[in-house]
């Protein structure tokens, strides 16, 4: 099992999107305990992966208020990078049925829209992605956003079941 707790390059700019993809490849090409990171039987990325949404701020907020999360995700940089084969190819993620996990006022459930839109729009930077070998039976039981208010991010949680033998 290999877990990467990450904080990839931040902010909305195009060069930062490209830097996040580079960050992914640099970590992916690392070794842990002498085994290349992606060659472990279970590989899980958790943290502030920092991919943003390619929509204007007001559009993101309107879609989030309407609970049209799938419409936001159509413009999510991580979805785009995966679809284009640039990063996280072969990884799984749970269904996102919750609002963007970032950028909130600390201590509240309200988006902080006071910073420049070029840097800090509501988005889904906090993610959990995983892949596993055929040796393991793995299922994702839950994937959700917690509602702690101590940060400008809401925590994302996942519960997995893993075993080395499939149940009969």
């Amino acid at each position: 099992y290999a877990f990467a707790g990450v904080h990839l390059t931040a902010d909305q700019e195009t060069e930062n999107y490209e830097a996040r993809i580079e960050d992914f490849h640099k970590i992916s090409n690392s070794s842990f305990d002498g085994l290349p990171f992606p060659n472990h039987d279970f590989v899980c990325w958790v943290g502030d992966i920092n991919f943003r949404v390619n929509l204007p701020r007001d559009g993101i907020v309107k879609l989030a208020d309407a609970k049209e999360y799938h419409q936001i995700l159509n413009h999510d940089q991580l979805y785009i990078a995966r679809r284009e084969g640039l990063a996280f190819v072969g990884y799984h993620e749970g269904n996102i049925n919750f609002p963007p996990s970032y950028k909130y006022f600390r201590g509240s459930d309200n988006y902080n829209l006071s910073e420049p839109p070029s840097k800090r729009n509501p988005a889904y930077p906090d993610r959990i992605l995983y892949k596993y070998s055929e040796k393991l039976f793995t299922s994702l039981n839950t994937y959700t956003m917690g509602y702690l208010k101590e940060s400008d991010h809401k925590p994302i949680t996942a519960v997995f079941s893993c075993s080395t033998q499939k149940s009969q």
Side-chain angles (χ1 to χ4, degrees), residues 16-26 51 81 86-87:
N16 293 2
Y17 168 72
E18 294 162 356
R20 285 186 279 280
I21 292 170
E22 289 176 27
D23 292 344
F24 165 77
H25 289 288
K26 183 177 181 180
F51 285 90
L86 299 174

Side-chain angles (χ1 to χ4, degrees), residues 1-3 32-33 40-44 136-138 162-164:
Y1 294 85
F3 291 84
F32 295 90
D33 292 329
H40 284 77
D41 289 331
F42 182 85
V43 178
C44 187
L136 294 178
F137 175 71
T138 304
C162 299
S163 68
T164 56

Side-chain angles (χ1 to χ4, degrees), residues 24 28 37-38 43 45 82 88-93 129-131:
F24 165 77
S28 288
F37 182 62
V43 178
W45 291 69
R82 291 175 71 195
F88 293 98
V89 174
Y91 283 83
H92 305 278
E93 182 179 24
L129 293 109
Y130 64 99
K131 69 177 187 172

Side-chain angles (χ1 to χ4, degrees), residues 68-135:
E68 295 286 339
Y69 310 131
H70 65 284
Q71 294 292 341
I72 299 170
L73 290 164
N74 286 335
H75 303 277
D76 176 76
Q77 291 177 347
L78 179 58
Y79 274 35
I80 294 166
R82 291 175 71 195
R83 190 171 49 239
E84 293 178 356
L86 299 174
F88 293 98
V89 174
Y91 283 83
H92 305 278
E93 182 179 24
N95 291 327
I96 296 178
N97 296 314
F98 46 84
S101 60
Y102 172 83
K103 165 85 171 153
Y104 291 88
F105 282 109
R106 292 175 194 255
S108 86
D109 290 324
N110 299 318
Y111 289 116
N112 179 347
L113 305 176
S114 65
E115 295 190 40
S118 64
K119 293 193 179 287
R120 309 277 190 240
N121 286 339
Y124 292 98
D126 310 290
R127 307 291 266 274
I128 301 171
L129 293 109
Y130 64 99
K131 69 177 187 172
Y132 53 93
S133 75
E134 293 181 12
K135 296 179 193 176

